[in-house]
Amino acid sequence: MQRIYIPHLVKDLDQTRTIEVEDYLSDLDTLTPVKGRIRIQHRGNFLDVAVQAETITTLTCHRCLQNYNTRIQVDTSEFIWLQEPLTEQHAEEVEVSLEDLVETLSPQGHFEPAKWLYEQLCLAMPQRQLCDQACEGIANPLATDSGDAPTDQRWAALSSLKQQLSE
Ligand SMILES: [Zn+2]
């Protein structure tokens, strides 16, 4: 995926560029290419970027630690403000506000679709990774079939003695 020189977007029809994606992303380990579409619209002082994409990746179950394959889908959009980065002197004068946390790019800079798409896919990764909602987790090697059997050897001896006495 080529990076896009932002001023070129203004010359596109409707100031909009659509990118068909069917690519492996260099930083994202996926089983299938990331497939979908990114639409970038230049709207004067900001870019309106939208994506619909999906891929299949291998995750590790948080309960049983087995690997499993899952589909990751994104259907999202974001505004990216176009403004020249503040000089150091300016930054000191301007109070840090919520707006400063919003992503910004220089209006004369580049938009990198692959990097942006990578970030969106990372955000779409499930927080709770389970191979199955009913995953039982790692089998406990100390657990026995009887379920309520004591694991302490002394209790085991005692309970077999008790059994002998009652026979
Ligand atoms: Zn599991």
Side-chain angles (χ1 to χ4, degrees):
M1 254 178 283
Q2 296 266 320
R3 61 185 195 157
I4 297 167
Y5 182 52
I6 292 169
H8 281 170
L9 286 169
V10 184
K11 295 177 191 144
D12 284 358
L13 185 68
D14 295 328
Q15 291 81 51
T16 302
R17 188 169 304 185
T18 305
I19 305 170
E20 299 291 337
V21 182
E22 190 165 358
D23 264 325
Y24 287 98
L25 301 183
S26 53
D27 293 324
L28 198 68
D29 204 7
T30 54
L31 294 175
T32 60
V34 179
K35 218 172 157 177
R37 177 179 293 172
I38 304 176
R39 195 213 63 217
I40 305 139
Q41 189 171 23
H42 194 301
R43 297 175 69 169
N45 58 348
F46 66 95
L47 299 181
D48 180 358
V49 191
V51 62
Q52 284 174 316
E54 65 173 40
T55 187
I56 294 174
T57 189
T58 303
L59 297 176
T60 303
C61 176
H62 286 167
R63 274 192 204 150
C64 68
L65 307 180
Q66 301 278 348
N67 288 339
Y68 68 102
N69 297 334
T70 192
R71 186 180 303 272
I72 304 293
Q73 286 176 300
V74 285
D75 184 356
T76 186
S77 61
E78 186 182 30
F79 294 153
I80 299 170
W81 298 100
L82 298 176
Q83 74 180 93
E84 291 299 344
L86 297 171
T87 62
E88 244 174 74
Q89 199 195 342
H90 266 102
E92 275 172 35
E93 289 167 12
V94 179
E95 267 186 70
V96 176
S97 68
L98 260 182
E99 274 182 339
D100 295 322
L101 302 174
V102 173
E103 198 166 349
T104 60
L105 286 173
S106 161
Q108 305 302 316
H110 291 85
F111 175 72
E112 296 184 52
K115 190 175 152 217
W116 185 79
L117 179 56
Y118 167 77
E119 289 168 2
Q120 304 311 311
L121 287 164
C122 287
L123 290 172
M125 293 286 174
Q127 296 280 314
R128 211 171 140 79
Q129 298 176 6
L130 293 179
C131 61
D132 188 293
Q133 285 304 317
C135 174
E136 302 265 343
I138 299 169
N140 182 355
L142 293 175
T144 59
D145 288 335
S146 57
D148 61 351
T151 50
D152 187 307
Q153 286 304 310
R154 288 164 300 174
W155 286 114
L158 196 66
S159 86
S160 75
L161 185 68
K162 216 168 121 190
Q163 211 170 2
Q164 279 170 35
L165 289 172
S166 66
E167 272 166 11

